[in-house]
Amino acid sequence: MSDSMVRTELSRHDWGALRAMGGEADRVPESILALVSSETEDEAWAAYWELENYVVVQGQLFEASQHMVPVLLAALAGEIPQAARKALLELLLQLVSGESDAEEMERGNSDLGSICRKNAREGIWIIYRELCSGYYDLARDILEVIDLDRDRLAHFMNAYPSGKRKKQRGRIS
């Protein structure tokens, strides 16, 4: 199911008409699909690097970045290999932590960072799931950037220290 959700989200955009470093973002769908289906860490990081330094370069975002965030959330919502999940979260962190590249600002796209963060907030519970039972450190780092409800974040971090499940009130939560 995750693969079909990712493909559906990818199909919403004409990636060849969107900008990335050095030109069009036409190879984004193929790279994301390779990342989502990665079974090993080597495969996942190879696909990751096809996107990092292409759509986000040292914190500088290009036009395609804003549309990648929902695709990554669609992938994280499904069952994907753990190696892929970790690399997807790292890529999401890079996107939500970034700001518009100078070229994008010249074109009037000065708000790509805030758009990426807004788009990530639409899937905030997917990231909280990672905080509670997945890649705690990456999820925490993403949530520290996107969650505007600091009390909620502090409460969850207290309830799930270091991502370990904690027995509360006689039941496992």
Side-chain angles (χ1 to χ4, degrees):
M1 177 176 74
S2 175
D3 185 61
S4 66
M5 287 191 331
V6 171
R7 287 178 186 279
T8 301
E9 186 62 30
L10 283 168
S11 71
R12 292 181 55 219
H13 305 288
D14 177 3
W15 294 93
L18 298 171
R19 282 181 305 283
M21 175 74 163
E24 297 117 15
D26 56 341
R27 71 176 201 240
V28 166
E30 180 181 324
S31 297
I32 288 178
L33 291 172
L35 177 53
V36 169
S37 64
S38 296
E39 295 287 340
T40 68
E41 284 194 22
D42 286 344
E43 289 174 353
W45 291 113
Y48 169 90
W49 286 111
E50 290 177 15
L51 296 160
E52 166 73 79
N53 291 325
Y54 180 57
V55 176
V56 55
V57 180
Q58 297 179 350
Q60 303 301 300
L61 300 173
F62 290 87
E63 181 184 31
S65 62
Q66 63 190 312
H67 304 296
M68 280 185 51
V69 172
V71 175
L72 299 181
L73 291 169
L76 290 166
E79 295 298 321
I80 58 174
Q82 287 303 309
R85 184 170 296 280
K86 183 176 182 181
L88 282 166
L89 285 163
E90 179 62 39
L91 186 56
L92 182 58
L93 176 59
Q94 297 303 315
L95 293 170
V96 301
S97 299
E99 295 298 337
S100 295
D101 181 75
E103 282 182 33
E104 292 297 338
M105 290 180 17
E106 288 173 11
R107 291 186 161 125
N109 289 331
S110 61
D111 57 351
L112 292 174
S114 61
I115 292 169
C116 285
R117 290 183 284 279
K118 176 190 154 293
N119 288 346
R121 280 195 278 293
E122 292 177 4
I124 202 163
W125 291 108
I126 293 168
I127 307 306
Y128 268 103
R129 180 182 67 195
E130 291 296 327
L131 182 85
C132 297
S133 62
Y135 288 102
Y136 178 88
D137 291 336
L138 282 167
R140 180 202 58 221
D141 292 348
I142 293 166
L143 290 164
E144 285 176 344
V145 174
I146 68 167
D147 196 351
L148 302 176
D149 187 340
R150 306 318 281 175
D151 290 337
R152 171 177 54 201
L153 179 57
H155 185 78
F156 270 81
M157 287 174 60
N158 185 47
Y160 296 90
S162 300
K164 295 185 175 121
R165 290 182 167 228
K166 186 176 171 183
K167 195 171 185 175
Q168 296 178 349
R169 297 191 186 121
R171 60 189 163 111
I172 302 282
S173 52

